[in-house]
Amino acid sequence: MTKPHPLETRVVSRRFDQPDAHTLAGYLASDGFRALDKALAMAPEAVIEEVKASGLRGRGGAGFPTGLKWSFVPKQSPREKYVLCNADESEPGTCKDRLILEYDPFAIIEGMLIAGHAIGARRGYIYIRGEYRYLLDRMERALAEARAAGYVGKNIRGRGFDFELHAHTGAGAYECGEESALMESLEGKRGIPRLKPPFPAVSGFMGGPTVINNVETLASVPAIILNGGAWFAAFGPPKNGGTRLFCLSGHVRQQGVWELPLGFPLRKLIEDIGGGLRDGARLKAVVPGGSSTPLLPADTAWNIHLDFDSVAKASSFLGSGGVVVLDESTCMVKFALRIMQFYRHESCGWCVPCREGTQWLQTSLTRFHNGGGRAADVDLMKEVSENILGRTFCALGDAAAMPTLSILQHWRQEFLDHLAGKPCPFGARTSAAGAH
Amino acid sequence: MSPFSPQLEARFRELMQRYPARRSALVPMLLYAQDELGWLTPEAVRRIAELLGETELAVREVIGYYSMLRTEPAGKYHVQVCTNISCLLRGGDELYAHCERRLGIGHKQTAADGVFSLEEVECLGACSWAPAVQVNYDFHQELTLEQLDKILDAYAARARGADPSQGQGGAGSPGPRTALPVDGSGSRGEAALGTRVQEKS
Ligand SMILES: Cc1cc2nc3c(=O)[nH]c(=O)nc-3n(C[C@H](O)[C@H](O)[C@H](O)COP(=O)(O)O)c2cc1C
Ligand code: FES
């Protein structure tokens, strides 16, 4: 359980301090399934309109408008439709879905039921990363309770609505968080991305029209239906409806996850909630939305607001809500290298630019950091990164290239300093994970 | 002959019903099989292929893709240290190096006595409680070197006093291994979650 911070606005986390919200009784005692009753009394189109009006945008990374996504699903379909919940949470810097799974699993179930009613689906799956075993167990218990009480299964709430819902474990693969790779994995295959279009709304899991949303996106839906789209939208600036969970980590005094209205100043998050930088250090850079987002140098970071459009204006992304704070002691070469080791390790190998590009970039960055780097490689790394961008089936290649390009742009001098033998605060050690 | 317990066989039958096509159950079946046996033995692969009506090759192809699945035994306690960005900034590399020294093994190696194996892993989803280590399925967060030592001491002690019927060699030996922070503390990073060996929920 987590106590609210005075600066928080708790919507999706409103039950995080309620000790029994993960039980059906506790959930029902705090408005649980009231949104479902309301939604089932509404026409599916009206539910989608309400979600559109909320301005809710995907919390998984890409920020796509949720109501619009749902509206792409064809009304009539010869194939079965599905609702999938993406609980693969593996983007470095991101650890928020975990809290929803832990403290409010029924909100995810309720959000999926509402999505099912809205798009006419009768089946759903919650894909949970394999490392989150205790959360899989937690979700299975919640599903069993919901099923026993008639909230999952046939003729839900006596309204003729059938919906089967199961939790499903992954087994360690970042790429399986990518929506089409997730569907491959859910079909019992290697998690290789699919060529798009067709998009999942037309052809997704088992070739059926599929809505896939992040945990936090789906868990936000009940409150939107209960209180109205306009109510949710009003928390944030135009086109950036509502609140979201921000995961603060790195060189701050107090790490943690807090729910803030979109448009919240990053400076306030770092200073007033995170207690400022550790040991009175000075800010060097911020990763605004998980490891795949371009880094913001200190002067930009201090003046930015945390909503999709403001961060995009500063050439980065709000991404998955993972805010990582770096102080001046951080070696940016090492940081770039560790990010690249991750993407190289997680590249599924399907697309040549991603597979070969991440390998080459890792080799070059390792040389810069451990000795033997070449000055000409600074520009070559930029060129290779640019050649990955937009040339792959899924966005993993972009995710590797974008932070690298931002580091090369803003901290070029550090690469040259390494060549000149300037001591590096992190010392030389090749990550074992990167070597395998 | 099934290499699995009757309970697991029953669980597999139920799992295969959950999907429009039973092949969907493959990845969960592999992970649960590994939990029971410690690793994916040739008999386990054969039985799962048989249950799903797939070839062993098709099953092996999938195993090779997922980093948690293994085709050889690991230690009874599989120590996974995150060194990704949030942990890097908070000493993840030091924790990993400390494990290497203390356990005398490297990445993806198992100690001779079979108690510990070590792996440097990618982000565990514990970034706001960095640095983080996962032992089997249990999370240990916001660790210092001293706390890590205490945790490893506790696991080593448990291995010494372990009931032999608990199975050997294999992080998946039976017994409760949930890591639910029972008192709810720790999610904001209170020390409790990080320092306790959490085996029971
Ligand atoms: C390599 C890669 C990994 C991803 N990992 C995740 C993830 O772990 N969780 C998630 O919700 N979305 C992840 N996504 C985004 C999904 O593809 C998809 O956009 C998202 O599930 C849609 O849900 P939303 O609209 O509610 O955000 C990932 C994307 C890529 C390219
Ligand atoms: S970076 Fe270590 S848990 Fe996320």
Side-chain angles (χ1 to χ4, degrees), chain A residues 38-304:
Chain A
K38 186 169 170 187
L40 289 178
M42 291 162 71
E45 301 75 30
V47 173
I48 295 179
E49 282 313 310
E50 206 60 56
V51 175
K52 277 190 186 166
S54 75
L56 177 65
R57 291 168 66 166
R59 303 309 195 218
F64 194 82
T66 306
L68 191 61
K69 184 187 273 191
W70 293 9
S71 73
F72 291 155
V73 175
K75 275 208 184 64
Q76 307 296 336
S77 163
R79 285 178 184 264
E80 189 172 356
K81 303 181 203 177
Y82 300 95
V83 178
L84 303 182
C85 172
N86 190 338
D88 195 53
E89 185 154 81
S90 316
E91 167 96 348
T94 316
C95 50
K96 63 185 179 66
D97 297 338
R98 183 175 163 183
L99 297 181
I100 303 175
L101 289 158
E102 182 167 337
Y103 299 124
D104 206 1
F106 286 99
I108 303 167
I109 297 173
E110 188 173 6
M112 292 183 77
L113 291 166
I114 294 170
H117 170 62
I119 67 157
R122 298 289 168 262
R123 246 188 227 250
Y125 297 94
I126 305 167
Y127 188 104
I128 303 178
R129 67 177 295 184
E131 291 84 352
Y132 284 179
R133 172 57 61 85
Y134 76 102
L135 299 170
L136 176 79
D137 294 343
R138 187 105 151 170
M139 181 54 85
E140 299 248 359
R141 282 197 294 272
L143 284 167
E145 271 202 273
R147 190 170 290 114
Y151 289 97
V152 167
K154 293 241 179 290
N155 191 21
I156 294 168
R157 309 297 287 149
R159 287 193 165 266
F161 173 56
D162 300 342
F163 199 84
E164 254 320 315
L165 184 53
H166 293 286
H168 178 101
T169 184
Y174 167 71
E175 176 58 15
C176 289
E178 195 279 337
E179 54 191 28
S180 65
L182 185 150
M183 291 170 199
E184 289 286 304
S185 177
L186 192 58
E187 291 175 12
K189 299 183 243 165
R190 298 164 75 93
I192 306 287
R194 298 174 179 170
L195 188 60
K196 284 159 270 181
F199 289 98
V202 176
S203 174
F205 178 57
M206 301 302 288
T210 304
V211 152
I212 177 164
N213 279 121
N214 171 259
V215 169
E216 185 184 353
T217 312
L218 289 163
S220 301
V221 167
I224 289 169
I225 296 302
L226 214 48
N227 302 294
W231 167 85
F232 188 75
F235 289 114
K239 295 205 186 114
N240 288 268
T243 54
R244 75 177 290 180
L245 296 169
F246 288 96
C247 322
L248 187 65
S249 69
H251 292 140
V252 285
R253 282 211 178 84
Q254 180 62 56
Q255 314 181 87
V257 180
W258 295 277
E259 184 170 1
L260 305 170
L262 291 199
F264 195 87
L266 177 56
R267 178 188 276 274
K268 269 181 96 155
L269 171 59
I270 295 174
E271 293 195 325
D272 300 345
I273 299 180
L277 274 78
R278 288 208 302 198
D279 312 321
R282 285 169 48 147
L283 183 70
K284 184 172 199 171
V286 175
V287 176
S291 63
S292 63
T293 57
L295 282 78
L296 307 171
D299 48 347
T300 312
W302 278 138
N303 296 303
I304 209 167

Side-chain angles (χ1 to χ4, degrees), chain A residues 396-427:
Chain A
L396 191 142
D398 299 345
M402 291 190 303
T404 310
L405 284 167
S406 73
I407 293 173
L408 287 167
Q409 182 194 342
H410 297 293
W411 293 281
R412 184 185 171 93
Q413 187 58 40
E414 289 194 26
F415 290 84
L416 304 175
D417 286 350
H418 271 70
L419 296 184
K422 208 172 154 198
C424 163
F426 279 99

Side-chain angles (χ1 to χ4, degrees), chain A residues 91-95, chain B residues 82-88 121-128 130-132:
Chain A
E91 167 96 348
T94 316
C95 50
Chain B
C82 173
T83 59
N84 212 310
I85 53 174
S86 301
C87 293
L88 170 73
V121 294
E122 300 300 352
C123 176
L124 291 165
C127 325
S128 289

Side-chain angles (χ1 to χ4, degrees), chain B residues 17-173:
Chain B
Q17 308 288 317
R18 291 185 176 185
Y19 308 90
R22 61 186 164 162
R23 163 112 193 209
S24 280
L26 176 54
V27 173
M29 284 167 79
L30 289 167
L31 193 59
Y32 300 152
Q34 175 171 294
D35 289 342
E36 184 166 283
L37 303 177
W39 57 291
L40 293 166
T41 60
E43 296 73 33
V45 172
R46 198 170 307 135
R47 177 66 183 149
I48 288 174
E50 180 183 84
L51 284 168
L52 293 176
E54 300 284 340
T55 62
E56 282 179 51
L57 185 64
V59 171
R60 288 203 180 274
E61 227 174 56
V62 168
I63 294 173
Y65 183 83
Y66 295 90
S67 65
M68 290 175 72
L69 302 178
R70 52 177 176 259
T71 47
E72 22 185 274
K76 182 173 172 64
Y77 298 112
H78 187 53
V79 180
Q80 301 148 86
V81 183
C82 173
T83 59
N84 212 310
I85 53 174
S86 301
C87 293
L88 170 73
L89 299 176
R90 291 229 168 202
D93 273 2
E94 287 71 26
L95 291 185
Y96 178 73
H98 185 72
C99 286
E100 277 194 333
R101 274 195 308 273
R102 172 170 166 155
L103 304 175
I105 47 176
H107 180 59
K108 291 197 175 173
Q109 291 180 348
T110 303
D113 63 4
V115 174
F116 287 108
S117 49
L118 179 63
E119 187 173 352
E120 179 174 9
V121 294
E122 300 300 352
C123 176
L124 291 165
C127 325
S128 289
W129 310 284
V133 170
Q134 200 175 14
V135 181
N136 297 351
Y137 287 114
D138 298 350
F139 281 93
H140 301 281
Q141 307 178 140
E142 295 208 301
L143 292 176
T144 61
L145 289 180
E146 294 71 41
Q147 287 165 339
L148 177 64
D149 266 332
K150 276 197 201 131
I151 287 164
L152 294 178
D153 287 345
Y155 281 114
R158 193 181 307 162
R160 279 195 302 276
D163 168 3
S165 72
Q166 289 245 315
Q168 300 148 354
S173 45

